[in-house]
Amino acid sequence: MLIMRATDETWAASQDVDLTEVLDSMGRFNDELVRAGVLVAAEGLDEAAEGVVVDYSSQPPVVTDGPYGETKELFAGFWILDVANQEEAVEWAKRAPMAGPGSKTEIRRVASIDEFPQDNEWIRKEREWRVATGQL
Amino acid sequence: MSRPGGGPAATPRTAGGREAVEAVWRIESARIVGTLARSTGDLALAEDLAQEALAEALVAWPRDGVPREPAGWLLTVGRRRAIDAYRRRSALDERYAVLSRDLTEGGAVTGTARTGPGDPEPGLLWDPDRIDDDVLALAFTACHPVLAREAQVALTLRVLGGLTSDEIARAFLVPTATVQARITRAKKTLAAAQVPFGVPPPEERRARLGSVLSVLYVVFTEGSTASSGSEWIRPDLAREAVRLTRVLAQLVPDEPEVHGLLALLELTAARFPARVGEDGEPVLLEAQDRRRWDRAAIRRGRAALVRAGRVGRGLGPYGVQAAIAECHAVAPSVARTDWDRVVLLYDVLGRLAPSPVVELNRAVAVSVAQGPAAGLAIVDDLAAAGHLPGSHLLPSVRGELLARLDRFDEARQEIGRALQLCGNDRERELLRRKLAAWD
């Protein structure tokens, strides 16, 4: 999974960029991923200001509006790629149109449910949920 | 891994290693070979040039760092090598002129410095309208009927998948030298037959596409059930076949069979997590834990099948097989599978692409839908006609059906015959366990 991360500053700066330009460059990148046969899923996230944070520091947890307090790096969206290894994911990430200093892409492997203890009752149930809902 | 000065634990990864070259190569090789093949009109030469560029990158990038435009760098080196080759032949012909002009238009490359191509201008080296055609032409040329199937497979994995000879050799359990010889021979054959590099004319295209699809299917099959050796599945090879089929489905979206094949491969690959037991032993369909099937792959496969149907002209053999795989994918268990529909689809498949293997599979479906005796009748006909003489599949299905009819003596004989014919260690184990269970 490639996770797009931005800061408050880059997010603010990106608001001044022409939307068509953003759509064009992101679209071209996504198109490349599709043509290379590696794109499995991709979504963009809404503005952090429209999200909320649930903080577990106290009980009951405290719900606050975004942006995310002291956490300056915001998730902006993600891609899930089907690639041979981490290096290939890195190479794709380098090509992502992530404008401006402060923007980052984090690369994480999606764990398979097979990697969890299979005798755990809830792992077994999770499989059933996934089957029932058609979700991964 | 912390940096001096007690900064954050994140350590910048030094780019430029062999891994970076290989990653770029996997992403770009098809476009590089394709572009070089178009400008030289010669796939064999293009492949050599691209390999030389790759070799140069493996030396230069770890030393000098990864260039800003890695694909452009590789392409520029390839073009330079082409010009060198033409120069050596002292043939200042038209192709030489074209290549030189391309290089100049590519900017960046000025003078005669040979230390490295520098960073070419992005966009000038690639003509996006042509890349798709180049990649498609690569597929058609690598799968040209003048080549033997094994040569088509090796060349496709090399030029379209960007796999090295070592990787191809590992996948097919043959020595690297054998793969290199296959590729060299394939290139010579293409040159000798004067096969033009390009997408075939429309009237030939559909027929030729068939051989491209069948090569991808062969690669997938080899990855999903190894024909020999001790590993039952080689998922990397199967995954590469799925990726290449996705690429092809993008390039030829108006052919139902491309989507049909993609659907078949996705739906088959979806079962991989459940097909191998904890000790690496194969797990057959009826014993598979369906909760372990890859739901995302099933979703992608079903979507591809819908696209295949939407294109029109009906499903071909791959699409029908995908529809059969879909019956299994959506069923909660073997018992609750729509076996009547599976039999119907096998009837269709038997008419579209008659073969003893299809007939054998139909027999299995019939045996579930209508009972073992009905299935055995089909298998007996196959045996009487002398079909599938060298395969372990016919006696192993026949043995299974006989056992279900309580004819154990005959069943044991059949499984014994299957054991003699089967080349895969894991499958032999399974057959032996079956025999033991009947004692």
Side-chain angles (χ1 to χ4, degrees), chain B residues 2 99-100 179 193 199 206 243 266 268 280-281 291 320 334 366 394 431:
Chain B
S2 68
L99 278 169
S100 308
V179 170
V199 177
R206 196 168 298 167
R243 184 183 75 82
E266 293 271 22
T268 308
E281 77 282 7
R291 294 169 306 179
V320 174
V334 170
V366 166
L394 184 63
L431 290 168

Side-chain angles (χ1 to χ4, degrees), chain B residues 247-294:
Chain B
V247 172
L248 198 63
Q250 283 296 314
L251 298 176
V252 201
D254 52 349
E255 286 291 339
E257 273 300 75
V258 181
H259 301 293
L261 179 64
L262 180 57
L264 176 61
L265 302 194
E266 293 271 22
L267 288 165
T268 308
R271 292 188 210 159
F272 284 177
R275 283 186 20 171
V276 179
E278 272 173 25
D279 301 321
E281 77 282 7
V283 181
L284 297 180
L285 179 66
E286 55 264 36
Q288 286 175 13
D289 180 354
R290 290 170 186 239
R291 294 169 306 179
R292 299 185 67 179
W293 286 355
D294 180 345

Side-chain angles (χ1 to χ4, degrees), chain B residues 233-397:
Chain B
I233 300 185
R234 266 170 263 146
D236 288 355
L237 195 57
R239 213 174 292 137
E240 183 60 21
V242 178
R243 184 183 75 82
L244 291 177
T245 311
R246 283 188 199 134
V247 172
L248 198 63
Q250 283 296 314
L251 298 176
V252 201
D254 52 349
E255 286 291 339
E257 273 300 75
V258 181
H259 301 293
L261 179 64
L262 180 57
L264 176 61
L265 302 194
E266 293 271 22
L267 288 165
T268 308
R271 292 188 210 159
F272 284 177
R275 283 186 20 171
V276 179
E278 272 173 25
D279 301 321
E281 77 282 7
V283 181
L284 297 180
L285 179 66
E286 55 264 36
Q288 286 175 13
D289 180 354
R290 290 170 186 239
R291 294 169 306 179
R292 299 185 67 179
W293 286 355
D294 180 345
R295 311 313 298 184
I298 289 175
R299 213 166 45 232
R300 291 196 296 274
R302 299 188 74 190
L305 193 53
V306 169
R307 277 198 301 279
R310 207 180 284 150
V311 173
R313 300 202 305 271
L315 298 178
Y318 294 122
V320 174
Q321 287 179 78
I324 294 169
E326 187 187 38
C327 287
H328 295 300
V330 299
S333 66
V334 170
R336 289 168 67 194
T337 302
D338 187 349
W339 284 100
D340 290 332
R341 180 171 158 77
V342 174
V343 169
L344 191 77
L345 287 166
Y346 271 119
D347 287 343
V348 173
L349 186 58
R351 279 198 298 276
L352 279 174
S355 89
V357 174
V358 170
E359 198 61 1
L360 189 63
N361 285 325
R362 190 171 74 89
V364 174
V366 166
S367 76
V368 185
Q370 297 157 29
L376 187 61
I378 300 172
V379 177
D380 285 346
D381 284 349
L382 274 172
H387 285 307
L388 298 167
S391 163
H392 66 283
L393 293 173
L394 184 63
S396 93
V397 169

Side-chain angles (χ1 to χ4, degrees), chain A residues 35-37 88 95 128 134, chain B residues 26 28 132 243 246 299:
Chain A
R35 278 162 201 275
E88 205 181 320
R95 295 156 190 235
E128 281 160 24
Chain B
R26 274 186 65 80
E28 301 290 358
D132 281 358
R243 184 183 75 82
R246 283 188 199 134
R299 213 166 45 232

